[in-house]
């Protein structure tokens, strides 16, 4: 009988659950505490790519485990399941949750060991909603089992909710447009694509705070000993360790005001302290936008170049605003983000210096400039002198102590203009040094580096360009405008564009320079360039549709027979039937009269006259309402309007200046002249859209926002050449209004007086030159093949025709093997001639309906129409490779070259033009990887 008590003791011990046994002071410490956690609450608690528990709370518990010498085991579940598992005593501890009345009935809580801010994220279409009560009409997305529902219901009982099993599903529903409001915590940048999609529609600056949530570990009811042990362990963890863990994951310590940014003074227009004592400049504005995108506050600490770096190294600041680094010159800090590149040039007070590379002279430079080694190569005979400030370099140049200095072109230009020294200095643009500027953090701040990258990835190209234009006056100094960036589209936007298929864009056949039809039926002009930009940036498929009549084109747009029309004025009547982009092009108006008429400066001078106008133009309603005394004579197009004045059926003709300038300079109307209308110089054009594709408007606006004044000017000069020898030069001052913010006058009205045979010959020569220019705009300047934009139009049309008629066609991406070696060995002139010969050889393998283009560099793309089988395309590829086996004689150089070819078949490989082109390109690279001189096909 004496063994009975021992037997009962053993049975009782065995009856204890593992969770209860582990709480005893005499428990086997080899048995770990089971901690249940949520599986997708990044960055607080989640499973990483390897399925390992990770996050702030996990790291805090691991620190607790070490400091208490207690083993722990993490078990991940969906959020509601994690609560259920603890309640059912299948786990010892919940990793951390907020307290509410329902949970207090089920669990006991330790002291809070961290906190998190919670918000309502509101769709941009509801940006006027500023309070929780404003959201009563909308369902709030929440994760099942989270505390958000109870908290929000207590604040506003009328709210309704839509539940999701986990946060990934919740965010995806928001991206897909199922939710206009959702509750969430700060930080969700684990999935960059998802975060970019969320940030594009749910602005951090518009989120509504719910509360600051204290996070506490929880245990099943009645286990006070375990609560005491948890509290004691976390009290032993030093505060700086907790701060380091938070910084590792969030990039900043949330108990402080946010991110502290070190900046240098005196580097305007990039960064400086303004007259108001506040930081300003291009980099400051970029960081402020970063703050808006991420919802993280930023503050600035100013100093000089050296002290600002030291501030980051010593921990006074978290990040450097932007510092120049190169392979040769590094600070020892982590390059978290390439924020911009700065162009530096040579400036001299000696305005007559020539051949600066060959002159022995003294040149000033900053000692921190990363391009010093490049300068020594560019100026081999120069002696470099170092200066700590631009001010000291400028003064040294004025005092002839140095011949000149090299500095950031934008910074030097700003300084010289501000100090009225611009006329005393010359900028040499032929030698240029590029400096990469990096956001810098400490090496161990990986969380902050990730946060910085994620935040800048949320800033769109057009937002960057807008800030850059504000601060950098000279377009040549700009980084974003001159970089090959594409606008970032969300997954939802890409899906929408893909769902549209091909859309049609109407244009007038004879309305140069804005839009017209070329000799081969191609769409040309300024609006064709705009169309090509939309295709490139948005991956749209746009089919140009030519029209003879403007009014018919607008009627078809309203009916939906076409989807886009450029160069449209937005009127209330049209706005009720169509959607419109933002303005994108200046459209001033002018009046054409005979040479004997006095100049016309405003429409009131036309009262009592017969005024010809193209039927359907928006200005017709304005003329009828404001000038009833004018008799309107309707014509179909510009040529008919000019003819009406010539034959006397109208006294005058009103038209946009760009079209009139092009028409008059043709020399066909020597007895007519043009007068600019002062009150119509500020008119601008929009792109009009059929309402069925109105969701394209914000995307088109983003593309149009990337067209700065330089690009606008380049487009204009590409399509318009003007003769300045005109009697209307006296009216030049009015032309300052033609193109807003253009740095030079890009349009001068022209009246050509042809009174001699010699002048007629000159006009014919100019017409030939213009036709050649139009050909050059649509063809490659080396091979004379159609360029990629013309080819892409042809490809889009081919796809539609073959899809309709259920026919096949092939795309061959052809890349020359070893072309760079030939360029390097024999020179670019031989390379160009080789490309010309290859173009001729490829053309020999085409049917009349086929097309080949030089796509980029040494890559050609061939379109084979209406093939019967894959064998047809295979045979063409074999013929090309066979032809290339023969040496080519370029001048006195014999060259043998091969090619790698990728073949994609429509519709077998894809029924989408863009995807088909991508497929042929991928197959071509596969052929190149295995040695080249062969083809690959699916």
């Amino acid at each position: 009988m004496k063994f009975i008590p021992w037997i009962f003791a053993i049975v009782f011990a065995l009856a204890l659950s593992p969770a209860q046994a582990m709480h005893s002071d005499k428990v086997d410490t080899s048995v770990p505490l089971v901690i249940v956690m949520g599986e997708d609450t990044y960055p607080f608690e989640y499973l990483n790519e390897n399925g390992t528990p990770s996050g702030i709370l996990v790291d805090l518990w691991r620190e607790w485990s070490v400091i208490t010498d207690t083993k722990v085991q993490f078990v991940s579940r969906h959020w509601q399941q994690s609560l259920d598992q603890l309640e059912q005593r299948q786990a010892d501890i919940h990793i951390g949750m907020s307290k509410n009345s329902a949970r207090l009935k089920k669990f006991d809580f330790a002291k809070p060991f961290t906190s998190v801010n919670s918000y309502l994220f509101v769709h941009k279409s509801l940006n006027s909603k500023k309070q929780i009560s404003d959201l009563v009409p909308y369902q709030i997305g929440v994760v099942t089992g989270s505390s958000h529902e109870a908290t929000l219901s207590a604040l506003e009982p009328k709210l309704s909710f839509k539940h999701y099993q986990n946060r990934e599903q919740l965010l995806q529903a928001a991206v897909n447009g199922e939710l206009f409001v959702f509750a969430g915590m700060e930080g969700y940048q684990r999935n960059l694509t998802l975060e970019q999609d969320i940030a594009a529609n749910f602005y951090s600056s518009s989120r509504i705070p719910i509360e600051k949530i204290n996070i506490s570990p929880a245990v099943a009811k009645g286990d006070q000993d375990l609560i005491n042990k948890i509290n004691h362990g976390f009290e032993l963890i030093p505060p700086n360790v907790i701060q380091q863990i938070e910084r590792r994951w969030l990039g900043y310590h949330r108990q402080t005001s946010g991110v502290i940014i070190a900046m240098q003074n005196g580097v305007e227009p990039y960064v400086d302290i303004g007259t108001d004592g506040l930081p300003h400049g291009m980099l400051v504005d970029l960081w402020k936008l970063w703050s808006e995108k991420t919802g993280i506050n930023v503050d600035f600490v100013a100093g000089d170049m050296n002290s600002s770096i030291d501030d980051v190294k010593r921990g006074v600041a978290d990040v450097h605003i932007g510092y120049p680094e190169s392979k040769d010159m590094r600070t020892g800090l982590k390059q978290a983000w390439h924020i911009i590149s700065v162009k530096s040039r040579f400036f001299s007070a000696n305005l007559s210096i020539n051949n600066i590379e060959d002159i022995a002279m003294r040149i000033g430079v900053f000692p921190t400039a990363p391009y010093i080694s490049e300068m020594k190569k560019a100026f081999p005979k120069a002696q470099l002198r170092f200066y700590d400030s631009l001010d000291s370099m400028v003064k040294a140049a004025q005092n002839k102590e140095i011949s000149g200095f090299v500095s950031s072109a934008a910074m030097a230009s700003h300084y010289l203009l501000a100090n009225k020294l611009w006329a005393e200095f010359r900028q040499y643009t032929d030698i240029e040094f590029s400096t990469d500027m990096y956001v810098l953090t400490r090496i161990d701040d990986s969380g902050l580096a990730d946060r910085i990258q994620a935040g800048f990835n949320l800033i769109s190209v057009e937002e960057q360009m807008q800030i850059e234009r504000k601060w950098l006056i000279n377009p040549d100094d700009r980084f974003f405008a001159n970089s090959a960036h594409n606008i970032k589209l969300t997954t939802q936007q890409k899906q929408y564009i893909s769902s549209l298929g091909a859309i049609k864009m109407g244009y007038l056949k004879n309305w140069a320079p804005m839009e017209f039809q070329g000799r081969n039926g191609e769409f040309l002009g300024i609006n064709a360039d705009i169309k090509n930009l939309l295709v490139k940036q948005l991956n749209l498929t746009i089919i140009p549709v030519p029209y003879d009549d403007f009014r018919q084109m607008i009627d078809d747009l309203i009916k939906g027979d076409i989807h886009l029309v450029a160069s449209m004025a937005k009127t209330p009547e049209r706005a009720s039937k169509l959607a419109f982009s933002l303005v994108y092009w200046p459209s001033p108006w002018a009046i054409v009269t005979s040479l004997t008429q006095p100049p016309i400066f405003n429409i009131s001078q036309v009262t009592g006259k017969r005024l010809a106008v193209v039927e359907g133009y928006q200005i017709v309603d304005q003329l009828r309402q404001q000038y009833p005394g004018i008799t309107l004579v309707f014509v179909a197009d510009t040529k008919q309007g000019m003819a009406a004045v010539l034959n006397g059926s109208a006294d005058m003709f009103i038209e946009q200046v760009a079209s009139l300038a092009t028409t008059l300079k043709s020399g066909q109307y020597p007895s007519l002249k043009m007068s600019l209308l002062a009150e119509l110089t500020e008119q601008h054009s929009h792109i009009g859209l059929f309402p069925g594709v109105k969701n394209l408007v914000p995307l088109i606006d983003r593309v149009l926002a990337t067209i700065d004044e330089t690009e606008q000017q380049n487009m204009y000069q590409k399509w318009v050449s003007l003769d300045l020898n005109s009697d209307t030069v006296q009216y030049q001052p009015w032309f300052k209004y033609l193109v807003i913010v253009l740095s030079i006058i890009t349009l001068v009205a022209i009246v050509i007086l042809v009174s001699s045979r010699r002048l007629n010959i000159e006009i014919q020569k100019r017409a030939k030159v213009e036709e050649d220019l139009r050909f050059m705009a649509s063809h490659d300047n080396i091979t004379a093949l159609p360029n990629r934009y013309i080819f892409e139009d042809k490809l889009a049309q081919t796809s539609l025709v073959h899809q309709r008629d259920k026919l096949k066609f092939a795309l061959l991406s052809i890349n020359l093997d070893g072309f760079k070696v030939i360029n390097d060995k024999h020179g670019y002139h031989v390379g160009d001639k080789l490309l010309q010969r290859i173009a001729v050889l490829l053309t020999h393998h085409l049917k009349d309906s086929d097309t080949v283009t030089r796509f980029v560099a040494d890559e050609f793309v061939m379109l084979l129409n209406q093939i019967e089988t894959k064998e047809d395309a295979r045979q063409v590829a074999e013929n090309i490779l066979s032809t290339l086996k023969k040496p080519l004689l370029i001048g006195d150089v014999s060259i043998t070259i091969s090619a790698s070819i990728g073949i994609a078949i429509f519709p077998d490989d894809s029924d989408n033009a863009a995807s088909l082109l991508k497929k042929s390109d991928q197959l071509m690279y596969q052929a190149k990887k295995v040695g080249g001189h062969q083809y690959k096909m699916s």
Side-chain angles (χ1 to χ4, degrees), residues 300-320:
F300 299 91
V301 177
D304 58 30
M305 291 289 282
N306 294 325
S307 67
S308 60
I309 288 294
D310 289 339
D311 284 343
V312 179
K313 290 180 176 179
R314 293 185 294 111
V316 174
D318 302 305
V319 57
H320 194 283

Side-chain angles (χ1 to χ4, degrees), residues 56-287:
I56 296 173
L57 303 190
V58 173
D59 281 1
L60 287 171
W61 272 104
R62 284 179 175 147
E63 195 68 33
W64 180 92
S65 171
V66 171
I67 211 163
T68 62
D69 194 24
T70 305
K71 293 183 179 180
V72 297
Q73 176 186 344
F74 296 99
V75 178
S76 62
R77 297 288 184 268
H78 289 316
W79 183 254
Q80 183 58 53
Q81 293 173 353
S82 73
L83 301 180
D84 295 341
Q85 189 157 339
L86 181 65
E87 185 178 5
Q88 296 163 10
R89 297 179 183 269
Q90 295 175 6
D92 300 293
I93 304 170
H94 193 284
I95 194 168
M97 67 175 90
S98 63
K99 299 178 184 178
N100 60 36
S101 56
R103 290 175 181 174
L104 284 168
K105 294 177 182 178
K106 300 177 181 179
F107 311 121
D108 286 333
F109 288 85
K111 295 177 182 178
F113 66 145
T114 189
S115 63
V116 59
N117 295 314
S118 63
Y119 302 91
L120 282 173
F121 292 85
V122 182
H123 193 272
K124 62 185 179 183
S125 61
L126 307 179
N127 59 5
S128 61
K129 312 299 181 184
K130 303 297 183 184
Q131 299 178 5
I132 294 176
S133 58
D134 296 335
L135 303 175
V136 170
Y138 307 94
Q139 280 192 313
I140 313 295
V142 296
V143 174
T144 301
S146 70
S147 63
H148 294 133
E149 183 173 356
T151 302
L152 288 168
S153 295
L155 295 171
E156 177 49 72
K158 295 180 182 179
L159 290 175
S160 58
F161 301 91
K162 190 170 184 179
H163 299 87
Y164 294 86
Q165 190 174 26
N166 55 54
R167 190 162 69 153
E168 188 81 8
Q169 292 180 5
L170 170 69
L171 297 179
Q172 197 61 59
V175 167
N176 295 338
E178 300 170 19
L179 291 173
F180 284 90
V181 187
F182 68 88
M185 299 181 298
E186 57 186 299
Y188 40 74
Q189 83 275 18
R190 183 188 181 193
N191 182 333
L192 180 58
T193 301
L194 187 59
E195 184 182 19
Q196 288 176 338
D197 289 353
I198 289 288
N201 293 297
F202 295 83
Y203 302 150
S204 292
S205 56
S206 300
R207 63 190 181 183
I208 301 174
I210 301 175
E211 64 175 343
K212 181 177 181 179
I213 300 173
N214 289 319
I215 303 296
S216 303
V219 303
K221 273 290 185 181
D223 200 340
Q224 189 60 45
D225 289 341
L226 185 54
I227 290 291
N228 293 339
K229 182 173 183 176
I230 293 170
N231 287 335
H232 179 65
F234 280 112
E235 287 170 359
L236 295 177
I237 300 176
N240 67 308
V241 173
I242 296 176
Q243 181 175 341
Q244 289 172 4
I245 291 172
E246 287 188 347
R247 285 184 63 87
R248 187 183 309 142
W249 287 100
L250 292 175
Y252 64 103
H253 184 44
R254 288 176 294 108
Q255 308 307 320
T256 65
S257 59
V259 173
I260 307 299
I261 301 173
M263 55 168 271
Q264 59 269 47
N265 292 329
V267 196
E268 200 163 1
Y270 296 105
V271 55
D272 201 1
I273 298 296
T275 54
D276 55 2
L278 299 175
H280 72 184
M282 178 179 164
L283 298 185
V284 172
D285 281 1
L286 283 171
W287 271 103

Side-chain angles (χ1 to χ4, degrees), residues 719-888:
W719 296 107
V720 180
S721 59
L722 296 178
D723 183 358
L724 300 184
N725 297 320
S726 167
D727 290 340
T728 58
V729 171
Q730 59 184 306
Y731 307 135
Q732 254 185 325
W734 289 108
F735 285 95
K736 293 178 181 178
Y737 300 101
L738 296 187
V739 181
I740 57 171
V741 302
L742 288 178
S743 59
I744 65 172
I745 299 173
T746 60
L747 179 63
V748 178
I750 176 170
V751 176
I752 300 177
L753 303 177
V754 182
S755 57
S756 67
R757 180 182 176 190
R758 192 174 101 182
L759 195 52
N760 272 316
I761 293 172
E762 288 299 315
I763 290 169
Q764 291 172 9
K765 288 181 180 178
R766 280 199 293 267
K768 176 65 170 60
V769 170
E770 288 171 23
E771 198 62 43
D772 290 342
L773 288 173
R774 290 170 186 167
F775 180 86
M776 289 170 59
S778 59
H779 290 73
D780 177 54
N781 63 329
I782 293 176
T783 64
L785 294 174
N787 62 24
R788 64 181 297 173
Y789 299 114
I790 298 299
F791 180 84
E792 287 171 350
D793 281 345
K794 180 71 179 283
L795 177 58
Q797 295 176 43
T798 301
S799 300
L800 289 175
V801 171
H802 284 67
Q803 193 166 42
R804 181 193 64 202
D805 298 335
K806 301 188 183 311
L807 299 172
K808 293 180 184 292
F809 72 87
L811 277 185
L812 277 65
S813 287
I814 306 166
N815 186 268
L816 302 180
D817 300 325
F819 181 76
K820 184 178 184 300
V821 175
I822 293 170
N823 258 345
D824 294 342
K825 183 177 180 180
H826 301 291
Y828 288 95
H829 64 288
V830 173
D832 288 348
K833 289 180 180 178
L834 175 61
L835 291 173
Q836 293 167 4
R837 291 287 294 278
I838 296 295
V840 173
L841 291 175
L842 293 177
T843 304
H844 288 162
H845 295 283
L846 300 179
K847 305 190 300 289
D848 289 342
S849 60
D850 297 340
T851 305
V852 64
T853 182
R854 179 176 172 234
F855 214 59
V856 290
D858 58 342
E859 183 175 341
F860 298 81
V861 180
M862 184 180 287
L863 189 158
L864 305 179
N865 269 299
Q866 297 185 14
I867 63 171
E868 294 294 331
T869 66
K870 287 185 176 182
E871 289 302 315
D872 295 339
R874 190 194 307 271
Q875 187 60 55
V876 172
E878 289 177 350
N879 292 342
I880 292 171
L881 293 175
S882 178
T883 302
L884 291 178
K885 287 181 179 179
K886 303 173 184 177
L888 299 172

Side-chain angles (χ1 to χ4, degrees), residues 298-371:
V298 295
D299 201 0
F300 299 91
V301 177
D304 58 30
M305 291 289 282
N306 294 325
S307 67
S308 60
I309 288 294
D310 289 339
D311 284 343
V312 179
K313 290 180 176 179
R314 293 185 294 111
V316 174
D318 302 305
V319 57
H320 194 283
I321 194 168
Y323 193 85
E325 285 201 331
S326 68
K327 292 180 181 178
D328 300 327
M329 299 188 68
R330 297 292 298 270
T331 60
L333 295 171
K334 180 181 180 65
Q335 294 178 353
W337 184 254
H338 176 201
I339 190 164
I340 56 167
S341 290
V342 175
K343 295 177 181 178
S344 296
R345 302 190 186 96
F346 179 68
F347 290 80
S348 176
N350 184 346
L351 305 183
S352 61
I353 295 180
N354 294 310
N355 301 319
I356 57 177
E357 303 95 326
D358 301 325
I359 299 176
M361 55 183 176
R362 295 184 296 273
I363 301 178
V365 65
F366 291 111
T368 55
Y371 45 78

